[in-house]
Amino acid sequence: LRELVSESATFQEWTNSDTAEEALLRVFVEGVPDADLEDAEDHIKKVRPFALVGFDTASDGLLQFFSGSLVLYFEADISEEYLADHREAGIEFANKVGAIAGEIRDASYGSGKLFVRKIGITSRQSRSDVKEDGGRHLSIWLGVDYGLEML
């Protein structure tokens, strides 16, 4: 899934990456690395926008290699032009995430790729706390079902 995200043209543009390899550096597994507790927020600010990939369910042994669920989290700063307009900021963010999800789905049908059956929103997008940082970033969680459906 990390590779599918990094191969997305929309994600590459969003992260100002020239290649999928460069974009892959902004797709993390289970957490943002090098985020020391004392300066975690400052570090996370430096790597936005980014994506996190994680396992949605506990391991089912070998079956998890064939099918299962992953979670995909996106976080990005709100562009200056939309800071005062929550609705427009949300639309811009949702459009980017939607485009990335569509590109992931389409690319997953390729040979040797993780086969994505379904991508859905698991929680509404949320804006950061206005009191803490002025509501300067948005985030969203997606659920990703992959592999063959086991009957």
Side-chain angles (χ1 to χ4, degrees):
L1 184 55
R2 285 184 70 226
E3 289 178 7
L4 288 170
V5 173
S6 73
E7 292 168 358
S8 158
T10 302
F11 187 76
Q12 289 176 24
E13 180 183 328
W14 203 14
T15 59
N16 294 315
S17 301
D18 294 326
T19 63
E21 291 78 19
E22 192 177 327
L24 190 61
L25 298 173
R26 303 291 273 283
V27 185
F28 308 113
V29 177
E30 298 287 341
V32 178
D34 303 324
D36 182 334
L37 288 179
E38 289 182 24
D39 67 343
E41 187 57 34
D42 287 337
H43 178 68
I44 289 171
K45 283 179 190 176
K46 292 175 187 170
V47 296
R48 281 189 199 120
F50 65 86
L52 291 176
V53 175
F55 288 100
D56 187 31
T57 55
S59 176
D60 230 358
L62 287 177
L63 290 179
Q64 193 166 355
F65 289 105
F66 300 109
S67 67
S69 297
L70 297 169
V71 291
L72 182 56
Y73 172 84
F74 289 98
E75 185 173 305
D77 287 327
I78 297 170
S79 60
E80 290 294 323
E81 67 183 297
Y82 295 127
L83 267 178
D85 190 338
H86 182 71
R87 182 176 179 277
E88 288 301 318
I91 290 170
E92 179 190 43
F93 181 75
N95 283 339
K96 286 182 182 171
V97 170
I100 294 166
E103 291 167 7
I104 289 169
R105 185 201 57 235
D106 293 346
S108 80
Y109 301 141
S111 177
K113 301 289 184 183
L114 178 72
F115 175 65
V116 174
R117 285 194 323 266
K118 181 175 110 178
I119 300 175
I121 297 170
T122 60
S123 66
R124 293 182 58 168
Q125 71 181 15
S126 62
R127 190 167 182 164
S128 60
D129 191 335
V130 175
K131 292 178 184 174
E132 285 184 24
D133 73 352
R136 301 187 75 77
H137 68 273
L138 287 164
S139 61
I140 193 165
W141 287 95
L142 304 177
V144 180
D145 294 338
Y146 67 90
L148 302 174
E149 204 159 3
M150 304 303 252
L151 302 177

